[in-house]
């Protein structure tokens, strides 16, 4: 069962640890609740659609026909199509980071830190090598030392901006002064970090830079505003069918607290997985069209910060490492097409409002 579950390596390690605990508990009689809970946990992990995505044959012309019939405004139709084209062509690509440093130990250390965070890392031991990599590779972020040989960090900033205007550059140096920091930022560096590099500072800067690159003024998640609930769901189902995907939905007005969406940890007496993960398990797919209904109604009754909870669920970059508290391991939600609905979206605040593309139906 476990070998065919398609679990990521880190999840399989967690499962193996749980199995070892189960083996130890199996010698205890009578069977304890701890044994039963551990068995249920392993079974639940194995039942999840870790890598079950459909061999999609999306019919975007069919989607366009549906939209022409059900969405009157041409601008709204084009917004929806634009989102679905992007999702159908490439659901998620791991960010590629170019790391440049002429000190081998520093270069390898930075690469190791970033690879542990599941980034694709390309390394260059000199400025010339870095420029060659910029020419031949699709780079999402550059992290470069300032002081190197004949081609230094400032030259790499210029080359990056010239070739990839949306790609951010983080400058690292052991010779930090106010003047060099100001110069780097004026030239277009996104951020400036002093050596020795603190891991938390580095990873925080990387996430900020990538978020800036990918958002770049774009709103990443569709929000259907207006019409009846039935009409919104019907449109979502038709889109899912035409894209050759499963359709699932949650009525947010029924959700009262975060644990209902994101689970309750196994140390708690009433531990349980959240609705997000459980709906994917029931659908048997990691890439459905997932409708979150009635955001405006839910916001009034939810105990806690619903906006922040939903950002972690639906926002690109964040949701590829979504962690349900019951699972306590990351599950990649980046393959899901999320659609939020609301009767009125005018009161949706940041940070959620920053990523929603409102489409009036």
């Amino acid at each position: 069962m476990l070998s065919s579950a398609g679990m990521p390596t880190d999840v399989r390690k967690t499962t193996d640890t749980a199995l070892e605990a189960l083996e130890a508990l199996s010698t205890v009689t009578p069977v304890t609740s701890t044994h039963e809970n551990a068995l249920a946990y392993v079974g639940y992990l194995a039942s999840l659609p870790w890598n079950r995505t459909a061999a999609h044959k999306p019919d975007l012309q069919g989607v366009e026909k549906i939209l022409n019939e059900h969405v009157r405004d041409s601008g709204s139709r084009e917004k929806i199509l634009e989102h679905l084209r992007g999702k159908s062509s490439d659901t998620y690509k791991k960010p590629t980071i170019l790391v440049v440093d002429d000190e081998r130990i520093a270069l390898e250390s930075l690469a190791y830190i970033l690879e542990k965070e599941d980034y694709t890392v390309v390394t260059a031991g000199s400025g010339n090598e870095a420029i060659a990599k910029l020419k031949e590779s699709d780079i999402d972020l550059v992290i470069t030392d300032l002081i190197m040989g004949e081609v230094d960090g400032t030259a790499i900033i210029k080359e990056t901006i010239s070739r990839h205007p949306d790609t951010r550059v983080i400058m690292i140096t052991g010779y930090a002064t106010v003047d060099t920091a100001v110069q780097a930022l004026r030239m277009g560096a996104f951020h400036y970090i002093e050596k020795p590099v603190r891991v938390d500072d580095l990873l925080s800067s990387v996430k900020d830079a990538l978020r800036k690159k990918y958002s770049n003024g774009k709103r990443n998640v569709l929000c259907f505003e207006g019409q009846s609930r039935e009409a919104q769901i019907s449109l979502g189902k038709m889109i899912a069918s035409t894209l050759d995907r499963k359709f699932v939905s949650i009525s947010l007005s029924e959700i009262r607290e975060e644990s209902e969406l994101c689970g309750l940890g196994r140390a708690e007496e009433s531990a349980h997985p959240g609705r997000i993960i459980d709906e994917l398990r029931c659908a048997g797919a990691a890439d459905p069209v997932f409708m979150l209904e009635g955001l405006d109604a839910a916001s009034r009754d939810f105990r806690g910060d619903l906006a922040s909870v939903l950002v972690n669920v639906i926002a690109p970059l964040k949701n590829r490492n979504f962690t349900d508290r019951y699972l306590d391991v990351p599950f990649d939600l980046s393959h899901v097409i999320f659609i939020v609905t609301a009767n009125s979206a005018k009161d949706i605040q940041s940070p959620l409002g920053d990523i929603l593309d409102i489409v009036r139906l």
Side-chain angles (χ1 to χ4, degrees), residues 33-54:
S33 60
T34 302
H35 181 277
E36 292 176 344
N37 292 340
L39 188 61
Y41 174 65
V42 171
Y44 195 85
L45 285 177
S47 71
L48 291 174
W50 294 100
N51 61 358
R52 273 177 257 163
T53 56

Side-chain angles (χ1 to χ4, degrees), residues 9 32 93 96 111 132 134 150 192 212 226 230 240 256 285 307 322:
T9 303
T32 65
K93 178 180 77 69
T96 298
L134 283 168
E150 59 184 35
Y192 188 92
K212 185 75 173 177
E230 291 75 16
R256 294 292 179 268
F322 171 75

Side-chain angles (χ1 to χ4, degrees), residues 217-270:
K218 295 179 181 178
R219 296 176 181 267
N220 306 104
V221 181
L222 284 169
C223 177
F224 290 171
E225 180 187 37
Q227 289 200 1
S228 66
R229 174 177 179 269
E230 291 75 16
Q232 292 169 341
I233 292 175
S234 177
L235 180 58
K237 286 181 175 179
M238 286 187 285
I239 289 173
S241 176
T242 312
L243 292 177
D244 193 26
R245 294 180 184 237
K246 298 287 185 66
F247 177 83
V248 295
S249 66
I250 291 176
S251 175
L252 293 175
S253 62
E254 299 172 358
I255 304 297
R256 294 292 179 268
E257 56 189 38
E258 182 177 349
S259 64
E260 294 179 51
L261 284 175
C262 302
L264 194 61
R266 299 192 309 282
E268 303 293 333
E269 185 176 350
S270 56

